[in-house]
Amino acid sequence: ETGVTQTPRHLVMGMTNKKSLKCEQHLGHNAMYWYKQSAKKPLELMFVYNFKEQTENNSVPSRFSPECPNSSHLFLHLHTLQPEDSALYLCASSQEREKLFFGSGTQLSVL
Amino acid sequence: DAKTTQPTSMDCAEGRAANLPCNHSTISGNEYVYWYRQIHSQGPQYIIHGLKNNETNEMASLIITEDRKSSTLILPHATLRDTAVYYCIVRPYVGNYQLIWGAGTKLIIKP
């Protein structure tokens, strides 16, 4: 398998649930990203990891917790989310600051 | 705020060339121009990028003005599958990993 794979594709969760989004890249890239895309809004960068080290954190609420155990895997742990957190969550990877490769995203609905 | 300005929407007839403009009048000398597109509910897809010379690949051509303050993405023979939101982004090849995405141009290819 090649490219960037995200699971699950769709997720519905209650505000008291804990869930995790998973991203895996098979491209040998050293940087991985989490983006949030709310309806009718531009993509918002949430976190960036470079060689497993977090390099960017764009004032994301603590109910979103990223984890990057190695250069190929990235997780986004979710807990006590709010309905306004419903969005498409996109993972991407790149080699340094070169072109981004995106996964298909996880469509999250918080009830 | 995004560092680029694009028209909100454009139409193009199937089989014709689609020309998508982008203004990036504050671009710095170390910033590349990147183009991505996003088909509904999928992750963005890289199209092409350039620094100051015109570029062409199997998907599109990129024309950058001599002063680098604007560019045009050209899809030479548009098909219905090219209907998407097209994003023009400037990105430095040094420094942080931030990318600021605007609203893009909604391109509709009509039969």
Side-chain angles (χ1 to χ4, degrees), chain A residues 26-109:
Chain A
H26 308 272
L27 301 167
H29 291 163
N30 63 334
M32 295 188 77
Y33 310 70
W34 280 117
Y35 277 91
K36 175 184 178 182
Q37 188 173 33
S38 303
K40 302 187 186 303
K41 287 188 177 181
L43 276 76
E44 301 172 55
L45 180 64
M46 301 175 73
F47 303 103
V48 182
Y49 279 81
N50 184 26
F51 287 109
K52 303 188 300 178
E53 299 297 322
Q54 190 178 123
T55 60
E56 307 284 344
N57 178 339
N58 282 2
S59 302
V60 179
S62 59
R63 58 186 182 270
F64 296 91
S65 175
E67 178 189 2
C68 188
N70 54 60
S71 295
S72 298
H73 294 85
L74 186 64
F75 296 89
L76 188 63
H77 304 298
L78 317 171
H79 63 98
T80 60
L81 294 191
Q82 305 299 311
E84 60 265 29
D85 296 322
S86 298
L88 180 67
Y89 288 85
L90 291 159
C91 174
S93 71
S94 70
Q95 184 58 30
E96 294 295 333
R97 295 164 190 78
E98 297 175 7
K99 57 189 177 185
L100 294 172
F101 289 79
F102 284 85
S104 297
T106 295
Q107 187 64 55
L108 174 66
S109 296

Coordinates of all heavy atoms in Angstrom, one line a residue, chain A residues 26-109:
Chain A
H26 N 3.3 5.8 4.0 CA 4.2 4.8 3.4 C 5.1 5.4 2.4 O 5.6 4.8 1.5 CB 3.3 3.7 2.7 CG 2.2 3.1 3.6 ND1 2.5 2.0 4.4 CD2 0.9 3.5 3.7 CE1 1.3 1.7 5.0 NE2 0.4 2.6 4.7
L27 N 5.4 6.7 2.6 CA 6.2 7.4 1.6 C 7.6 7.7 2.1 O 8.3 8.4 1.4 CB 5.4 8.7 1.3 CG 4.0 8.5 0.8 CD1 3.3 9.9 0.7 CD2 4.1 8.0 -0.7
G28 N 7.9 7.3 3.3 CA 9.3 7.6 3.9 C 9.5 9.1 4.2 O 10.6 9.5 4.3
H29 N 8.4 9.8 4.4 CA 8.5 11.3 4.7 C 8.9 11.5 6.2 O 8.7 10.6 7.0 CB 7.2 12.0 4.5 CG 6.9 12.1 3.0 ND1 5.6 12.4 2.5 CD2 7.7 11.9 1.9 CE1 5.6 12.4 1.2 NE2 6.9 12.1 0.8
N30 N 9.5 12.7 6.5 CA 9.9 12.9 7.8 C 9.0 13.9 8.6 O 9.1 14.1 9.8 CB 11.3 13.5 7.9 CG 11.4 14.8 7.1 OD1 10.7 15.1 6.2 ND2 12.4 15.6 7.5
A31 N 8.0 14.5 7.9 CA 7.1 15.4 8.6 C 5.6 14.9 8.4 O 5.3 14.4 7.3 CB 7.2 16.8 7.9
M32 N 4.9 15.0 9.5 CA 3.5 14.6 9.4 C 2.6 15.7 10.1 O 3.1 16.4 11.0 CB 3.2 13.3 10.1 CG 3.9 12.1 9.4 SD 3.5 10.5 10.1 CE 1.8 10.3 9.4
Y33 N 1.4 15.9 9.6 CA 0.5 17.0 10.0 C -0.9 16.5 10.3 O -1.4 15.6 9.7 CB 0.4 18.0 8.8 CG 1.7 18.4 8.1 CD1 2.4 17.6 7.3 CD2 2.1 19.8 8.2 CE1 3.6 18.0 6.7 CE2 3.2 20.2 7.5 CZ 3.9 19.3 6.8 OH 5.1 19.8 6.1
W34 N -1.5 17.2 11.2 CA -3.0 17.2 11.4 C -3.6 18.5 11.0 O -3.2 19.5 11.5 CB -3.4 16.8 12.8 CG -3.3 15.4 13.2 CD1 -2.5 14.9 14.2 CD2 -4.0 14.3 12.7 NE1 -2.6 13.5 14.3 CE2 -3.6 13.1 13.4 CE3 -5.0 14.2 11.7 CZ2 -4.1 11.9 13.1 CZ3 -5.5 12.9 11.4 CH2 -5.1 11.8 12.1
Y35 N -4.6 18.4 10.1 CA -5.4 19.6 9.8 C -6.8 19.4 10.1 O -7.3 18.2 10.1 CB -5.3 19.8 8.2 CG -4.1 20.5 7.7 CD1 -3.0 19.8 7.3 CD2 -4.1 21.9 7.6 CE1 -1.9 20.5 6.8 CE2 -3.0 22.6 7.1 CZ -1.9 21.8 6.7 OH -0.8 22.5 6.2
K36 N -7.5 20.5 10.4 CA -9.0 20.4 10.6 C -9.7 21.3 9.5 O -9.2 22.4 9.2 CB -9.3 21.1 12.0 CG -10.8 21.2 12.3 CD -11.1 21.9 13.6 CE -12.6 22.1 13.9 NZ -12.8 22.8 15.1
Q37 N -10.7 20.7 9.0 CA -11.5 21.5 8.0 C -12.9 21.5 8.4 O -13.6 20.4 8.2 CB -11.3 20.9 6.6 CG -11.9 21.7 5.5 CD -11.6 21.2 4.1 OE1 -11.5 20.0 3.9 NE2 -11.5 22.1 3.1
S38 N -13.4 22.6 8.9 CA -14.8 22.7 9.2 C -15.6 23.1 8.0 O -15.0 23.6 7.0 CB -15.0 23.8 10.3 OG -14.2 23.5 11.5
A39 N -16.9 22.9 8.0 CA -17.7 23.2 6.9 C -17.5 24.7 6.4 O -17.6 25.6 7.2 CB -19.2 23.0 7.2
K40 N -17.3 24.8 5.1 CA -17.2 26.1 4.5 C -16.0 27.0 5.1 O -16.1 28.2 5.1 CB -18.5 26.9 4.6 CG -19.6 26.1 3.9 CD -20.9 27.0 3.8 CE -22.1 26.2 3.2 NZ -21.8 25.6 1.9
K41 N -15.0 26.4 5.7 CA -13.9 27.1 6.2 C -12.6 26.6 5.6 O -12.5 25.4 5.2 CB -13.8 26.9 7.7 CG -14.9 27.7 8.5 CD -14.6 27.6 10.0 CE -15.6 28.5 10.8 NZ -15.3 28.4 12.2
P42 N -11.5 27.4 5.6 CA -10.3 26.9 5.1 C -9.6 25.9 6.0 O -10.0 25.8 7.2 CB -9.4 28.2 5.0 CG -10.3 29.3 5.1 CD -11.5 28.8 5.9
L43 N -8.7 25.1 5.5 CA -8.0 24.2 6.3 C -7.2 24.9 7.4 O -6.6 25.9 7.1 CB -7.0 23.4 5.4 CG -7.5 22.1 4.7 CD1 -8.3 22.5 3.5 CD2 -6.3 21.2 4.3
E44 N -7.3 24.3 8.6 CA -6.6 24.9 9.7 C -5.5 23.9 10.2 O -5.8 22.8 10.5 CB -7.5 25.2 10.9 CG -8.7 26.1 10.6 CD -9.6 26.1 11.8 OE1 -9.1 26.3 13.0 OE2 -10.8 25.8 11.7
L45 N -4.3 24.3 10.2 CA -3.2 23.5 10.7 C -3.3 23.3 12.2 O -3.5 24.3 13.0 CB -1.8 24.1 10.4 CG -0.6 23.3 10.8 CD1 -0.6 21.9 10.2 CD2 0.7 24.1 10.6
M46 N -3.3 22.1 12.7 CA -3.4 21.8 14.1 C -2.0 21.5 14.7 O -1.6 22.2 15.6 CB -4.3 20.7 14.4 CG -5.7 20.8 13.9 SD -6.7 19.4 14.1 CE -7.0 19.4 15.9
F47 N -1.4 20.5 14.2 CA -0.1 20.0 14.7 C 0.8 19.6 13.6 O 0.4 19.2 12.5 CB -0.2 18.8 15.6 CG -1.2 19.0 16.8 CD1 -2.5 18.5 16.7 CD2 -0.8 19.7 17.9 CE1 -3.3 18.6 17.8 CE2 -1.6 19.8 19.0 CZ -2.9 19.3 18.9
V48 N 2.2 19.8 13.8 CA 3.2 19.3 12.9 C 4.2 18.5 13.7 O 4.6 19.0 14.7 CB 3.9 20.4 12.1 CG1 4.9 19.8 11.1 CG2 2.9 21.3 11.4
Y49 N 4.6 17.4 13.1 CA 5.7 16.6 13.7 C 6.8 16.5 12.6 O 6.5 16.2 11.5 CB 5.2 15.2 14.1 CG 4.6 15.2 15.5 CD1 3.2 15.6 15.6 CD2 5.2 14.9 16.6 CE1 2.6 15.6 16.8 CE2 4.6 14.8 17.9 CZ 3.3 15.2 17.9 OH 2.7 15.2 19.2
N50 N 8.0 16.7 13.1 CA 9.2 16.5 12.2 C 10.1 15.5 12.9 O 10.6 15.8 14.0 CB 9.9 17.8 11.9 CG 11.0 17.7 10.9 OD1 11.0 16.8 10.1 ND2 12.0 18.6 11.0
F51 N 10.4 14.4 12.3 CA 11.2 13.3 12.9 C 10.7 13.0 14.3 O 11.4 13.0 15.3 CB 12.7 13.7 12.9 CG 13.4 13.7 11.6 CD1 13.7 14.9 11.0 CD2 13.6 12.5 11.0 CE1 14.3 14.8 9.7 CE2 14.3 12.5 9.7 CZ 14.6 13.6 9.1
K52 N 9.4 12.9 14.4 CA 8.7 12.5 15.7 C 8.6 13.6 16.7 O 8.0 13.5 17.7 CB 9.3 11.3 16.3 CG 9.4 10.0 15.5 CD 9.9 8.8 16.3 CE 11.2 9.0 16.9 NZ 11.7 7.9 17.8
E53 N 9.2 14.7 16.4 CA 9.2 15.8 17.4 C 8.2 16.9 16.9 O 8.1 17.3 15.8 CB 10.6 16.5 17.5 CG 11.7 15.6 17.9 CD 11.5 15.1 19.4 OE1 10.9 15.9 20.2 OE2 11.8 14.0 19.6
Q54 N 7.3 17.3 17.9 CA 6.3 18.3 17.6 C 7.0 19.6 17.3 O 7.7 20.2 18.2 CB 5.3 18.4 18.7 CG 4.1 19.2 18.3 CD 3.0 19.3 19.4 OE1 2.6 20.3 19.9 NE2 2.6 18.1 19.9
T55 N 6.7 20.2 16.2 CA 7.3 21.5 15.8 C 6.3 22.6 15.8 O 6.7 23.8 15.8 CB 8.0 21.4 14.4 OG1 7.1 21.1 13.5 CG2 9.1 20.4 14.5
E56 N 5.0 22.3 15.6 CA 4.0 23.3 15.5 C 2.8 22.8 16.4 O 2.4 21.7 16.3 CB 3.5 23.6 14.1 CG 4.6 23.9 13.1 CD 5.2 25.3 13.2 OE1 4.5 26.1 13.9 OE2 6.2 25.5 12.7
N57 N 2.2 23.8 17.1 CA 1.0 23.5 17.8 C 0.2 24.8 17.8 O 0.5 25.8 18.5 CB 1.3 23.1 19.3 CG 0.0 22.9 20.1 OD1 -1.1 23.3 19.7 ND2 0.1 22.1 21.2
N58 N -0.8 24.9 17.0 CA -1.5 26.1 16.7 C -2.6 26.4 17.7 O -3.8 26.5 17.3 CB -2.0 26.1 15.3 CG -0.9 26.5 14.3 OD1 0.2 26.6 14.6 ND2 -1.3 26.5 13.0
S59 N -2.2 26.5 19.0 CA -3.2 26.8 20.0 C -4.4 25.9 20.0 O -5.6 26.4 20.1 CB -3.6 28.3 19.9 OG -2.5 29.2 19.9
V60 N -4.2 24.6 19.9 CA -5.2 23.7 19.8 C -5.7 23.3 21.2 O -4.8 23.1 22.1 CB -4.8 22.4 19.0 CG1 -5.9 21.4 19.0 CG2 -4.3 22.8 17.6
P61 N -7.0 23.3 21.5 CA -7.5 22.9 22.8 C -6.9 21.6 23.3 O -6.7 20.6 22.5 CB -9.0 22.8 22.6 CG -9.3 23.7 21.5 CD -8.1 23.6 20.6
S62 N -6.7 21.4 24.6 CA -6.1 20.2 25.1 C -7.0 19.0 25.0 O -6.5 17.8 25.2 CB -5.8 20.4 26.6 OG -7.0 20.7 27.3
R63 N -8.2 19.1 24.6 CA -9.1 17.9 24.3 C -8.6 17.2 23.1 O -9.1 16.1 22.8 CB -10.5 18.3 24.2 CG -10.9 19.3 23.2 CD -12.4 19.7 23.3 NE -12.8 20.7 22.3 CZ -12.8 22.0 22.4 NH1 -12.3 22.5 23.5 NH2 -13.2 22.7 21.4
F64 N -7.7 17.8 22.3 CA -7.1 17.1 21.2 C -5.6 16.9 21.6 O -4.9 17.8 21.9 CB -7.1 18.0 19.9 CG -8.4 18.3 19.4 CD1 -9.1 19.4 19.8 CD2 -9.0 17.5 18.4 CE1 -10.4 19.7 19.3 CE2 -10.3 17.7 17.9 CZ -11.0 18.9 18.4
S65 N -5.2 15.6 21.5 CA -3.9 15.2 22.0 C -3.2 14.4 20.9 O -3.6 13.3 20.6 CB -4.0 14.4 23.3 OG -2.7 13.9 23.7
P66 N -2.2 14.9 20.3 CA -1.5 14.2 19.2 C -0.4 13.3 19.8 O 0.1 13.5 20.9 CB -0.8 15.3 18.4 CG -0.5 16.4 19.4 CD -1.6 16.3 20.4
E67 N -0.1 12.2 19.0 CA 1.0 11.3 19.4 C 1.6 10.9 18.1 O 1.0 10.5 17.1 CB 0.4 10.1 20.1 CG 1.5 9.1 20.5 CD 0.9 7.8 21.0 OE1 -0.4 7.7 21.0 OE2 1.6 6.9 21.3
C68 N 3.0 10.9 18.1 CA 3.7 10.5 16.9 C 4.8 9.5 17.4 O 5.9 9.9 17.7 CB 4.3 11.7 16.2 SG 5.1 11.3 14.6
P69 N 4.5 8.2 17.4 CA 5.5 7.2 18.0 C 6.6 7.0 17.0 O 7.7 6.6 17.5 CB 4.6 5.9 18.1 CG 3.5 6.1 17.1 CD 3.2 7.6 17.1
N70 N 6.5 7.2 15.7 CA 7.6 7.1 14.8 C 7.2 7.9 13.6 O 6.1 8.4 13.5 CB 7.8 5.6 14.4 CG 6.6 4.9 13.9 OD1 6.0 5.3 12.9 ND2 6.1 3.9 14.6
S71 N 8.2 7.9 12.6 CA 8.0 8.8 11.5 C 6.8 8.4 10.5 O 6.4 9.2 9.7 CB 9.3 9.0 10.7 OG 10.3 9.6 11.4
S72 N 6.3 7.2 10.7 CA 5.3 6.7 9.8 C 3.9 6.8 10.4 O 2.9 6.6 9.6 CB 5.6 5.2 9.4 OG 6.8 5.1 8.7
H73 N 3.8 7.0 11.7 CA 2.5 6.9 12.3 C 2.2 8.2 13.1 O 3.0 8.7 13.8 CB 2.4 5.7 13.2 CG 2.4 4.4 12.5 ND1 3.6 3.7 12.2 CD2 1.5 3.6 12.1 CE1 3.4 2.6 11.6 NE2 2.1 2.5 11.5
L74 N 0.9 8.5 13.0 CA 0.5 9.7 13.7 C -0.9 9.5 14.2 O -1.8 8.9 13.5 CB 0.5 10.9 12.8 CG 0.1 12.3 13.4 CD1 1.2 12.7 14.4 CD2 0.0 13.3 12.3
F75 N -1.2 9.8 15.5 CA -2.5 9.6 16.1 C -3.0 11.0 16.6 O -2.3 11.9 16.9 CB -2.4 8.7 17.3 CG -2.0 7.3 16.9 CD1 -0.7 6.9 16.9 CD2 -2.9 6.3 16.6 CE1 -0.3 5.6 16.6 CE2 -2.6 5.0 16.3 CZ -1.2 4.7 16.2
L76 N -4.3 11.1 16.7 CA -5.0 12.2 17.3 C -6.0 11.7 18.3 O -7.0 11.1 17.9 CB -5.7 13.1 16.3 CG -6.2 14.4 16.8 CD1 -5.1 15.3 17.3 CD2 -7.0 15.2 15.7
H77 N -5.7 11.8 19.6 CA -6.6 11.3 20.6 C -7.6 12.4 21.0 O -7.2 13.6 21.2 CB -5.7 10.9 21.8 CG -4.7 9.9 21.5 ND1 -4.9 8.7 21.1 CD2 -3.3 10.0 21.6 CE1 -3.8 8.0 20.9 NE2 -2.8 8.8 21.2
L78 N -8.8 12.0 21.0 CA -9.9 12.9 21.2 C -10.7 12.5 22.6 O -10.9 11.4 22.8 CB -10.9 12.8 20.1 CG -10.4 12.7 18.7 CD1 -11.5 12.3 17.7 CD2 -9.7 14.0 18.3
H79 N -10.9 13.6 23.4 CA -11.7 13.3 24.6 C -12.5 14.6 25.0 O -12.0 15.7 24.8 CB -10.8 12.8 25.7 CG -9.8 13.9 26.2 ND1 -10.0 14.7 27.2 CD2 -8.6 14.2 25.6 CE1 -8.9 15.5 27.4 NE2 -8.1 15.2 26.4
T80 N -13.7 14.3 25.4 CA -14.6 15.4 25.8 C -14.8 16.5 24.8 O -14.6 17.7 25.1 CB -14.3 16.0 27.2 OG1 -13.0 16.6 27.1 CG2 -14.3 15.0 28.3
L81 N -15.0 16.0 23.6 CA -15.2 17.0 22.5 C -16.5 17.7 22.6 O -17.4 17.3 23.2 CB -15.0 16.3 21.1 CG -13.7 15.7 20.8 CD1 -13.6 15.3 19.3 CD2 -12.5 16.6 21.1
Q82 N -16.6 18.8 21.8 CA -17.8 19.6 21.7 C -18.4 19.5 20.3 O -17.7 19.2 19.4 CB -17.4 21.1 22.0 CG -16.7 21.4 23.3 CD -17.6 21.0 24.5 OE1 -18.7 21.3 24.6 NE2 -17.0 20.2 25.4
P83 N -19.7 19.8 20.2 CA -20.3 19.7 18.9 C -19.6 20.5 17.8 O -19.5 20.1 16.6 CB -21.7 20.2 19.1 CG -22.0 19.8 20.5 CD -20.7 20.0 21.2
E84 N -19.0 21.7 18.2 CA -18.3 22.5 17.2 C -17.0 21.9 16.7 O -16.3 22.4 15.8 CB -18.0 23.9 17.8 CG -17.2 23.9 19.0 CD -18.0 24.0 20.3 OE1 -19.2 23.4 20.3 OE2 -17.5 24.5 21.3
D85 N -16.6 20.8 17.3 CA -15.4 20.1 16.9 C -15.7 19.1 15.7 O -14.8 18.5 15.1 CB -14.8 19.2 18.0 CG -14.3 20.1 19.1 OD1 -13.7 21.2 18.9 OD2 -14.4 19.7 20.3
S86 N -17.0 19.0 15.4 CA -17.4 18.2 14.2 C -16.7 18.8 12.9 O -16.9 20.0 12.7 CB -18.9 18.2 14.0 OG -19.5 17.6 15.2
A87 N -16.0 18.0 12.2 CA -15.3 18.5 11.0 C -14.6 17.3 10.3 O -14.7 16.2 10.8 CB -14.2 19.5 11.5
L88 N -14.0 17.6 9.2 CA -13.1 16.7 8.5 C -11.7 16.9 9.0 O -11.2 18.0 9.0 CB -13.2 16.9 7.0 CG -12.4 16.0 6.1 CD1 -12.9 14.6 6.2 CD2 -12.3 16.5 4.7
Y89 N -11.1 15.8 9.5 CA -9.8 15.8 10.1 C -8.9 15.1 9.1 O -9.0 14.0 8.7 CB -9.7 15.2 11.5 CG -10.4 16.1 12.5 CD1 -11.7 16.0 12.7 CD2 -9.6 17.0 13.2 CE1 -12.4 16.9 13.6 CE2 -10.2 17.9 14.1 CZ -11.6 17.8 14.3 OH -12.2 18.6 15.2
L90 N -7.9 15.9 8.6 CA -7.0 15.4 7.6 C -5.6 15.2 8.1 O -5.0 16.1 8.8 CB -7.0 16.4 6.4 CG -8.3 16.5 5.6 CD1 -8.4 17.8 4.9 CD2 -8.4 15.3 4.6
C91 N -5.0 14.2 7.7 CA -3.6 13.9 8.0 C -2.8 14.1 6.7 O -3.3 13.8 5.6 CB -3.4 12.5 8.5 SG -1.7 11.9 8.7
A92 N -1.6 14.6 6.8 CA -0.7 14.8 5.6 C 0.7 14.5 6.0 O 1.1 14.5 7.2 CB -0.8 16.2 5.1
S93 N 1.5 14.2 5.0 CA 3.0 14.0 5.2 C 3.7 14.8 4.1 O 3.2 15.1 3.1 CB 3.3 12.5 5.3 OG 3.2 12.0 4.0
S94 N 5.0 15.0 4.4 CA 5.9 15.7 3.4 C 7.3 15.3 3.8 O 7.6 15.0 4.9 CB 5.7 17.2 3.4 OG 6.2 17.8 4.6
Q95 N 8.2 15.5 2.8 CA 9.6 15.4 3.0 C 10.1 16.8 3.2 O 10.0 17.6 2.3 CB 10.3 14.7 1.8 CG 11.8 14.5 2.0 CD 12.1 13.6 3.2 OE1 11.3 12.8 3.6 NE2 13.2 13.9 3.9
E96 N 10.5 17.1 4.4 CA 10.8 18.5 4.8 C 9.6 19.4 4.4 O 8.5 19.1 4.7 CB 12.1 18.9 4.1 CG 13.3 18.1 4.6 CD 13.7 18.4 6.1 OE1 13.3 19.5 6.6 OE2 14.3 17.5 6.7
R97 N 9.9 20.5 3.8 CA 8.8 21.5 3.5 C 8.3 21.3 2.0 O 7.8 22.3 1.5 CB 9.3 22.9 3.7 CG 9.6 23.1 5.2 CD 10.4 24.4 5.4 NE 10.9 24.5 6.8 CZ 11.9 23.8 7.3 NH1 12.5 22.9 6.5 NH2 12.2 23.9 8.6
E98 N 8.5 20.2 1.5 CA 8.1 19.9 0.1 C 6.6 19.6 0.0 O 5.9 19.8 1.0 CB 8.9 18.8 -0.5 CG 10.4 19.2 -0.6 CD 11.3 18.0 -1.1 OE1 10.7 17.0 -1.5 OE2 12.5 18.1 -1.1
K99 N 6.1 19.2 -1.1 CA 4.7 19.0 -1.3 C 4.1 18.1 -0.3 O 4.7 17.1 0.1 CB 4.4 18.5 -2.7 CG 5.1 17.2 -3.1 CD 5.0 16.9 -4.6 CE 5.7 15.7 -4.9 NZ 5.7 15.4 -6.4
L100 N 2.8 18.4 0.1 CA 2.1 17.6 1.0 C 1.3 16.5 0.3 O 0.7 16.7 -0.8 CB 1.1 18.5 1.8 CG 1.7 19.6 2.7 CD1 0.6 20.5 3.2 CD2 2.4 19.0 3.8
F101 N 1.3 15.4 1.0 CA 0.4 14.2 0.5 C -0.6 14.0 1.6 O -0.3 13.8 2.8 CB 1.2 13.0 0.3 CG 2.1 13.0 -0.9 CD1 3.3 13.7 -0.8 CD2 1.8 12.4 -2.1 CE1 4.2 13.8 -1.9 CE2 2.6 12.4 -3.2 CZ 3.8 13.1 -3.1
F102 N -1.9 14.1 1.3 CA -3.0 14.0 2.2 C -3.6 12.6 2.2 O -3.7 12.0 1.1 CB -4.1 15.0 1.9 CG -3.7 16.4 2.3 CD1 -3.0 17.3 1.5 CD2 -4.1 17.0 3.5 CE1 -2.6 18.6 1.8 CE2 -3.8 18.3 3.9 CZ -3.1 19.0 3.1
G103 N -4.2 12.3 3.4 CA -5.1 11.1 3.4 C -6.5 11.5 3.0 O -6.7 12.7 2.7
S104 N -7.4 10.6 3.0 CA -8.8 10.9 2.6 C -9.6 11.5 3.8 O -10.7 12.0 3.5 CB -9.5 9.6 2.2 OG -8.8 9.0 1.1
G105 N -9.0 11.5 5.0 CA -9.7 12.2 6.1 C -10.6 11.4 6.9 O -11.0 10.3 6.5
T106 N -10.9 11.9 8.1 CA -11.9 11.3 9.0 C -13.0 12.3 9.2 O -12.7 13.4 9.6 CB -11.3 10.9 10.3 OG1 -10.4 9.8 10.2 CG2 -12.4 10.4 11.3
Q107 N -14.2 12.0 8.8 CA -15.3 12.9 9.0 C -15.9 12.6 10.4 O -16.4 11.5 10.6 CB -16.4 12.6 7.9 CG -17.6 13.6 8.0 CD -17.1 15.0 7.7 OE1 -16.5 15.3 6.6 NE2 -17.4 16.0 8.5
L108 N -15.7 13.5 11.3 CA -16.1 13.4 12.7 C -17.3 14.2 13.0 O -17.5 15.3 12.6 CB -14.9 13.9 13.6 CG -15.2 14.0 15.1 CD1 -15.4 12.6 15.6 CD2 -14.1 14.7 15.8
S109 N -18.3 13.5 13.6 CA -19.5 14.1 14.1 C -19.6 13.9 15.6 O -19.5 12.8 16.1 CB -20.7 13.5 13.5 OG -20.7 13.7 12.1

